[in-house]
Amino acid sequence: MSDEGTTHAMGRTAAFAELMEIRAAKPLKQGEVTITGEDPLFQSPFRIGETSADALAARAVAANDLWELRTGRRQSISVDVRAAAATSLAGGDMTLRRDALGKYQPIPSSPEFRHMISLTQPWRAADGRWVLPHTNLPHLERRVLDVLGCESTPESVAEGVSRWNSDELEDAIATAHACAGKIRTPEEWLAHPHGAYLASRPVVEITKLADSAPQPLPGGNQPASGIRVLDLTRILAGPTAGLGMAEHGADVLMVTAPSLPQVPAFVRDTSHGKRSCFLDFTRADEARRLRELVRDADVFIDGYRPGRLQAHGFGVDELTTLRPGLVHVSVNCFGSGGPFAERAGWDQVAQAVTGICHTQGMAVGAGQPKLTPVFMCDFITGFLGTFGAMIALARRAREGGTYRVQVSLCQSAMLLQRQGLLARFDHAPGRLTPREFEALSVRDDGTCWGDLKSLGPVVRMSETPPRWFGTTPELGSGRAAWLD
């Protein structure tokens, strides 16, 4: 079965077709994209692999559009569903480290991460509904615990949530500039003003903000060669958008500050092919240097809480004034508007509010809402951020303009739910076989984390297969400067 130049072994390309409508360019040639395999890889009723494969295939089509602008040629593209699903294991089972005996072994998760998972779960509120508080970073955990008036243990958090009405607690945690989500059914979410707003918007919003002269692509032998990307993001979705740009040849410069908390495993697995520098934009001299970088950038990826960068003079209006022709990519939880637009959130919060937790819990017979086994909203959102950035770059090359791209965890959760549910998933293995992993793995020796073997880029392109350029960097190890 083919759809918009795509062949899928099981005939499912609904998400891909939706993204091709956003692309709004000439139709693909028959067979340009091939998607093989099927779900499930994980113990979940959701089509995580198929939706991820469709998003990755769309991202590759956007890269192909840039390649055609450079060369006049198009490439064949292929994606395997199981491999696409496995990308959601980054930060976990899909990176091995060589030990003293030369064998590659799994890297244990940190005690801090395991503790966060134990707290960031659905808990029953006083009205019988469920609320998921998020405690991913120390300062956010402290704010949640202060609202609940409890200690940092699962038992204490459960008792704290049980004293609140679910709607009141969700609002109180948001007022404290922390993160939580009330568990809703999919139907309740679509009836909610915020869910209704997002349902009225495309899953990737690409807006032309201003006119400017066309900007031809710089020279190079990859689709995004010579494209300069400022990556001001942390923790999975935003870094995955930057990683996609790097895999297609862009110069991606991660900008963070030494004081900002991070999750080391996520830094490790989303920094391949990038460079990293420290700039604290709250300091006048370092903010000045960041503005200098913006003037020569092509893409700026903002993964901060809504309004945070704007408060320091790096909002979308200030950035596009500094650099006409900039492609600004916003990655957040709740999307471009609606009553929750100013709230921060994470993958688990998006799963909670949009109905995924409810459906997962029902499907596995848990008797309560339950998170899926992986952070798939993060990765799908990252894939869509890269897709939108490259679509905007192609439009800038053809017709000029300054662009804004908006993607969100909640929109990705809704895209995933639109693909329908699996009838069976009890046989899902939860991970790739060793042979499958070995075929897709990439060695990265001499990193600050040791010698690594990681799940590499899973998209196949006939002329410019996505790859990682250079050794995965240590945070802050590079200069705040563009490559020559």
Side-chain angles (χ1 to χ4, degrees):
M1 179 178 178
S2 64
D3 187 359
E4 186 76 43
T6 305
T7 302
H8 194 305
M10 302 302 294
R12 300 188 185 95
T13 57
F16 182 83
E18 186 174 331
L19 295 173
M20 289 302 97
E21 289 184 11
I22 293 168
R23 171 177 170 257
K26 66 181 182 181
L28 306 181
K29 293 182 179 179
Q30 181 68 28
E32 178 172 319
V33 178
T34 302
I35 300 174
T36 57
E38 60 183 310
D39 281 308
L41 185 63
F42 304 115
Q43 295 278 329
S44 175
F46 295 105
R47 299 183 184 278
I48 295 171
E50 292 166 20
T51 309
S52 298
D54 280 7
L56 282 166
R59 192 191 83 175
V61 168
N64 224 2
D65 291 343
L66 295 179
W67 187 243
E68 185 177 26
L69 285 170
R70 292 179 182 277
T71 66
R73 303 190 303 273
R74 296 193 72 82
Q75 309 178 52
S76 60
I77 295 164
S78 63
V79 187
D80 178 76
V81 166
R82 283 170 62 89
T87 58
S88 294
L89 291 167
D93 293 343
M94 291 293 97
T95 297
L96 309 178
R97 181 167 55 204
R98 185 157 56 184
D99 63 18
L101 299 177
K103 294 184 178 180
Y104 285 93
Q105 304 287 353
I107 305 173
S109 60
S110 69
E112 294 81 6
F113 185 75
R114 293 194 295 272
H115 179 66
M116 182 277 289
I117 292 295
S118 74
L119 302 184
T120 303
Q121 297 291 336
W123 307 102
R124 191 188 293 272
D127 57 1
R129 301 299 298 264
W130 298 79
V131 176
L132 182 144
H134 203 288
T135 61
N136 194 28
L137 298 174
H139 68 292
L140 297 179
E141 177 185 349
R142 184 70 265 157
R143 292 172 189 172
V144 168
L145 298 180
D146 287 346
V147 171
L148 295 176
C150 70
E151 302 299 320
S152 184
T153 67
E155 297 78 12
S156 188
V157 170
E159 199 276 330
V161 172
S162 73
R163 297 194 298 262
W164 284 80
N165 171 281
S166 57
D167 288 308
E168 292 173 353
L169 179 57
E170 184 181 48
D171 291 343
I173 291 178
T175 300
H177 298 290
C179 306
K182 175 182 174 178
I183 307 297
R184 295 175 174 84
T185 68
E187 295 76 18
E188 286 174 333
W189 177 245
L190 292 176
H192 188 278
H194 198 90
Y197 168 80
L198 292 181
S200 73
R201 310 296 300 168
V203 66
V204 181
E205 297 186 46
I206 305 174
T207 307
K208 189 175 185 179
L209 300 177
D211 293 323
S212 63
Q215 297 185 35
L217 295 171
N221 57 8
Q222 298 291 321
S225 288
I227 296 298
R228 293 170 165 176
V229 180
L230 281 171
D231 181 353
L232 274 75
T233 68
R234 288 180 291 163
I235 308 179
L236 292 184
T240 298
L243 178 62
M245 296 300 301
E247 288 179 353
H248 291 291
D251 177 19
V252 180
L253 181 60
M254 296 186 293
V255 179
T256 187
S259 60
L260 290 178
Q262 303 275 358
V263 177
F266 295 162
V267 175
R268 180 194 69 216
D269 289 352
T270 59
S271 299
H272 307 296
K274 302 180 186 178
R275 297 182 299 117
S276 175
C277 72
F278 285 147
L279 283 177
D280 184 348
F281 56 70
T282 66
R283 297 170 56 95
D285 56 335
E286 297 184 35
R288 189 179 308 112
R289 180 61 191 138
L290 180 56
R291 290 188 180 90
E292 292 171 358
L293 291 170
V294 169
R295 289 189 178 95
D296 291 321
D298 298 289
V299 178
F300 186 105
I301 309 177
D302 175 4
Y304 279 77
R305 172 191 291 272
R308 170 70 171 160
L309 288 183
Q310 183 179 2
H312 291 275
F314 292 97
V316 62
D317 292 337
E318 293 89 350
L319 292 169
T320 54
T321 298
L322 278 173
R323 188 359 181 152
L326 185 70
V327 174
H328 182 277
V329 181
S330 171
V331 182
N332 61 36
C333 182
F334 287 104
S336 62
F340 289 175
E342 300 306 312
R343 296 186 179 186
W346 307 86
D347 182 290
Q348 298 98 320
V349 174
Q351 289 193 40
V353 300
T354 63
I356 284 181
C357 276
H358 170 82
T359 302
Q360 178 76 21
M362 293 283 289
V364 301
Q368 67 171 73
K370 190 173 179 62
L371 291 164
T372 62
V374 289
F375 305 137
M376 70 285 165
C377 298
D378 273 317
F379 292 96
I380 293 170
T381 302
F383 303 154
L384 297 181
T386 310
F387 165 76
M390 291 194 293
I391 293 297
L393 287 169
R395 293 180 186 174
R396 188 185 75 168
R398 291 192 300 263
E399 63 188 65
T402 300
Y403 293 87
R404 186 175 197 185
V405 176
Q406 293 167 289
V407 294
S408 70
L409 301 174
C410 285
Q411 279 280 30
S412 295
M414 294 165 70
L415 175 71
L416 179 65
Q417 291 177 95
R418 286 197 289 275
Q419 310 316 305
L421 301 177
L422 298 167
R424 284 194 58 195
F425 55 89
D426 54 310
H427 60 294
R431 58 181 300 130
L432 298 177
T433 66
R435 177 175 294 182
E436 287 173 322
F437 172 73
E438 193 65 30
L440 294 164
S441 67
V442 173
R443 286 181 52 176
D444 191 3
D445 294 339
T447 78
C448 60
W449 295 278
D451 295 342
L452 304 178
K453 182 184 287 187
S454 304
L455 180 71
V458 301
V459 174
R460 298 291 179 253
M461 299 181 71
S462 56
E463 292 188 51
T464 62
R467 51 176 293 212
W468 300 334
F469 300 83
T471 299
T472 304
E474 182 178 4
L475 279 181
S477 60
R479 296 185 304 114
W482 296 115
L483 296 175
D484 292 336

